[in-house]
Amino acid sequence: MTRDDRKSAVPLLQVRNLAKQYGRRIGCRDVSFDLYPGEVMGIVGESGSGKSTLLNAMAGHHAPDRGEVVFDTRADGPRDTLKMSEPERRMLSRTDWAFVHQHAREGLRMSVSAGGNIGERLMAVGGRHYGDIRAQAADWLGRVEISESRIDDRPSAFSGGMQQRLQIARNLVTGPRLVFMDEPTGGLDVSVQARLLDLLRGLVREMGLSAIIVTHDLAVVRLLADRLMVMKDGDVVESGLTDQVLDDPQHAYTQLLVSSVLQV
Amino acid sequence: MSDYNFAYLDEQTKRMIRRAILKGLAVPGYQVPFASREMPMPYGWGTGGVQVSAATLTPDDTLKVIDQGADDTTNAVSIRKFFERTAGVATTEETAQASVIQTRHRIPEAELSEDQILVYQVPIPEPLRFLEPRETETRKMHALEEYGLMHVKLYEDISQHGDIATSYAYPVKVEDRYVMDPSPIPKFDNPKLEMAAIQLFGAGREQRIYALPPYTRVVSLDFEDFPFEATKAEHPCDLCGAEDSYLDEVILDDAGNRMFVCSDTDYCRSRRDVGHTGRLGEQAA
Ligand SMILES: [Zn+2]
């Protein structure tokens, strides 16, 4: 998206002064940013930096202490999702929003076949034609590079990388407008990570996905994110276009993060 | 009989159960929690249904008890005797004569009327349980009408068996609102759930009561390309010749000879009494 597009467009998501504290520990402090349609925002930082707290607060998993998470809804335009009723928020989270967990087991039904896992969101929004649901599930298995012949297998029979790809298919099948991802490549072997990243990059481009990706892995944001926020101790210490931030980090902490990656 | 309060339970307990029943009737298909009492019989013997019957019976009632359609199984006989002893009510095997019918796993073949009450024994009242074991979550799913999971189960059925293999406890949607487990009746009985009589469902161990008022709309869940079918064995009854009743398969001998007979024993007998007969009608009679 060019700068001119951004001026004219309504942000898909406007986060304002979002704060969450756990006892005396700061989760995240007064975070504000806009996400425009088709943009991918990366949030990086070490564990304990507040990036996961921020993600879960935005996605409605944990209520923040204050702030706004304004989403441009299809029906009513921009609305603060934190002020929505629980039914509205749950409806949003199975239609226009999606959440990819770090551990595929948390995002999959392990006792349900791959096809059933992908089909669930379709059925949740009223899909009542078995043949259509199955055809879409088969199509999505192909798109995440899982053989269609595995459609009736349970995810417990899948490798870690396949489980993660299945979780992605299950989330994207209804064409959500905003995808939250929590360390989507975490815990996978390096070669498996590379394949998953390639796949994600392809899907992001092809579908024009808007996404917020939390990761400690700068290679992930380098490949996927248009913009970047760097978090430390609950604060955003630096933000900007991904290439600019990574190639010319201004904050001492960002410099440290970038250099430690380069040493690897 | 003088050792017990009428129908065994004390009046306060019956009032508590009646409140749950009334709430269930006011919100058809919604599972109302109630404080289930110890009954002098094991849980598998329908303590939920027995408590609902106890709270429903009046001295003027005539009670019928069936188990899988039959009046003469151990379970049905012992529950019937229990109420004969503790409530002194009249009992019958004739569906039309009964004002209260307690049942396990069947709906009588004869059409019920507005002055009748059908009480079901329910083992597991929660239709979402098998895919979502957390009760906090299933309650929320009912409250928010999040029923996508029910179709996931039917999807899994078709993908594994080529068809919806669920043939008992087939899930239904009540008045376009609550998804309900009709108890383990055969799906053949599902269309009869829309009836003139009051239907009450009691789950003792799970401490839930739910209900269907007369003429409540009850729709069996399905897919457009795999529509619900109220199937049964493709035979007439070998004793009474009925082609419209649910049949049990009975093995006759070691040579593998079988017969199909109405599972509703009263229906079968009353048809034979007026002269209907099936393939084996003469010999068996
Ligand atoms: Zn018969």
Side-chain angles (χ1 to χ4, degrees):
Chain A
M1 172 170 296
T2 67
R3 271 147 215 274
D4 284 348
D5 286 341
R6 285 189 53 174
K7 265 183 219 153
S8 58
V10 176
L12 185 65
L13 192 74
Q14 303 171 64
V15 176
R16 293 288 175 269
N17 304 313
L18 201 63
K20 173 77 180 173
Q21 202 165 341
Y22 293 103
R24 270 193 229 144
R25 242 189 68 225
I26 299 290
C28 61
R29 196 167 11 221
D30 295 326
V31 175
S32 300
F33 70 94
D34 290 342
L35 182 80
Y36 285 84
E39 264 192 330
V40 176
M41 169 71 83
I43 303 176
V44 296
E46 296 168 299
S47 94
S49 63
K51 61 188 192 305
S52 290
T53 304
L54 174 62
L55 189 75
N56 282 304
M58 287 189 289
H61 296 173
H62 304 305
D65 301 329
R66 62 179 175 280
E68 291 177 3
V69 178
V70 178
F71 180 70
D72 185 20
T73 63
R74 277 183 218 239
D76 310 313
R79 285 191 57 197
D80 184 359
T81 59
L82 300 176
K83 294 206 176 76
M84 285 181 176
S85 65
E86 192 182 12
E88 281 181 299
R89 203 160 48 229
R90 282 175 70 116
M91 175 62 98
L92 192 61
S93 71
R94 62 175 196 270
T95 53
D96 270 352
W97 284 11
F99 196 101
V100 176
H101 294 265
Q102 174 178 358
H103 302 291
R105 293 181 157 270
E106 288 170 31
L108 293 173
R109 292 194 187 276
M110 300 305 282
S111 61
V112 168
S113 70
N117 263 286
I118 298 176
E120 180 174 347
R121 276 173 76 111
L122 296 170
M123 293 181 252
V125 297
R128 291 294 177 265
H129 192 285
Y130 175 83
D132 288 351
I133 292 163
R134 193 159 175 87
Q136 287 199 59
D139 177 49
W140 267 97
L141 283 177
R143 292 173 79 168
V144 297
E145 299 167 9
I146 296 175
S147 164
E148 200 186 314
S149 66
R150 307 297 302 269
I151 192 167
D152 293 328
D153 293 349
R154 291 183 176 183
S156 46
F158 289 4
S159 68
M162 282 171 75
Q163 288 182 1
Q164 195 57 298
R165 297 203 298 278
L166 179 62
Q167 190 195 182
I168 288 163
R170 170 180 158 90
N171 270 282
L172 297 188
V173 64
T174 47
R177 293 163 66 218
L178 175 60
V179 184
F180 299 98
M181 296 190 203
D182 186 8
E183 301 274 11
T185 60
L188 298 175
D189 293 342
V190 175
S191 62
V192 177
Q193 283 188 15
R195 185 174 175 195
L196 186 66
L197 272 178
D198 266 357
L199 179 82
L200 275 175
R201 187 164 60 164
L203 289 171
V204 161
R205 287 193 180 153
E206 184 190 324
M207 300 177 73
L209 280 184
S210 310
I212 298 175
I213 301 178
V214 157
T215 180
H216 69 280
D217 186 347
L218 297 189
V220 171
V221 289
R222 171 84 79 179
L223 266 174
L224 294 177
D226 304 302
R227 288 193 297 138
L228 195 58
M229 297 199 308
V230 181
M231 289 191 73
K232 180 178 189 302
D233 300 333
D235 289 312
V236 175
V237 295
E238 185 162 359
S239 64
L241 297 173
T242 302
D243 290 344
Q244 276 177 18
V245 172
L246 293 184
D247 294 341
D248 185 19
Q250 300 298 305
H251 193 278
Y253 177 72
T254 315
Q255 290 167 359
L256 194 68
L257 270 186
V258 170
S259 64
S260 65
V261 158
L262 294 178
Q263 278 164 15
V264 171
Chain B
M1 179 186 162
S2 53
D3 295 345
Y4 303 104
N5 192 31
F6 176 78
Y8 186 79
L9 293 174
D10 62 83
E11 291 306 309
Q12 200 180 336
T13 299
K14 283 190 276 186
R15 273 198 296 275
M16 177 270 292
I17 294 172
R18 286 176 196 139
R19 277 196 295 273
I21 290 172
L22 288 173
K23 185 168 178 183
L25 285 165
V27 191
Y30 171 74
Q31 297 168 48
V32 184
F34 81 109
S36 183
R37 293 295 145 92
E38 287 289 327
M39 298 301 284
M41 57 192 75
Y43 271 124
W45 286 57
T47 55
V50 168
Q51 289 177 81
V52 169
S53 292
T56 303
L57 284 170
T58 69
D60 297 334
D61 273 313
T62 301
L63 177 71
K64 171 183 165 78
V65 182
I66 47 173
D67 176 12
Q68 313 259 18
D71 298 86
D72 55 1
T73 68
T74 318
N75 186 314
V77 169
S78 74
I79 291 172
R80 191 163 60 234
K81 282 197 177 138
F82 173 77
F83 282 117
E84 280 171 355
R85 206 164 52 237
T86 61
V89 291
T91 56
T92 182
E93 296 192 3
E94 287 177 53
T95 301
Q97 296 304 313
S99 55
V100 176
I101 302 170
Q102 180 169 332
T103 180
R104 175 173 174 270
H105 299 190
R106 271 313 310 275
I107 295 176
E109 303 292 353
E111 202 170 310
L112 300 186
S113 69
E114 287 179 7
D115 2 324
Q116 293 180 301
I117 298 175
L118 184 58
V119 177
Y120 295 77
Q121 301 172 202
V122 180
I124 298 171
E126 179 50 72
L128 299 162
R129 172 80 46 87
F130 79 103
L131 278 175
E132 178 52 72
R134 292 168 298 176
E135 161 119 17
T136 48
E137 191 59 20
T138 53
R139 276 197 206 187
K140 201 168 272 182
M141 291 158 85
H142 283 295
L144 304 179
E145 283 184 75
E146 291 181 3
Y147 290 133
L149 262 189
M150 292 311 305
H151 276 85
V152 172
K153 179 180 186 307
L154 300 180
Y155 170 95
E156 294 287 286
D157 247 20
I158 300 171
S159 68
Q160 283 163 33
H161 307 286
D163 212 330
I164 298 177
T166 303
S167 53
Y168 290 87
Y170 192 105
V172 295
K173 196 159 196 190
V174 176
E175 285 292 336
D176 211 23
R177 177 58 184 85
Y178 284 99
V179 166
M180 188 190 96
D181 185 326
S183 87
I185 58 173
K187 67 178 178 180
F188 172 80
D189 282 344
N190 272 28
K192 287 188 253 165
L193 288 162
E194 291 189 348
M195 64 163 72
I198 291 174
Q199 297 172 82
L200 307 176
F201 300 77
R205 188 180 42 223
E206 303 265 343
Q207 314 209 45
R208 291 289 184 280
I209 286 171
Y210 49 102
L212 296 172
Y215 308 111
T216 299
R217 192 151 46 89
V218 180
V219 176
S220 302
L221 303 182
D222 63 3
F223 286 104
E224 291 158 18
D225 46 344
F226 285 86
F228 171 81
E229 279 182 279
T231 50
K232 70 177 195 74
E234 299 268 335
H235 293 269
C237 172
D238 282 330
L239 297 183
C240 76
E243 301 195 4
D244 59 353
S245 68
Y246 190 74
L247 303 172
D248 286 335
E249 188 178 349
V250 181
I251 307 291
L252 290 175
D253 53 36
D254 291 343
N257 286 311
R258 309 171 301 170
M259 67 172 180
F260 289 92
V261 294
C262 296
S263 94
D264 184 333
T265 49
D266 175 59
Y267 183 72
C268 198
R269 186 183 46 244
S270 56
R271 277 179 55 84
R272 279 177 280 146
D273 285 351
V274 295
H276 293 287
T277 185
R279 183 175 63 97
L280 303 171
E282 296 303 315
Q283 296 100 300

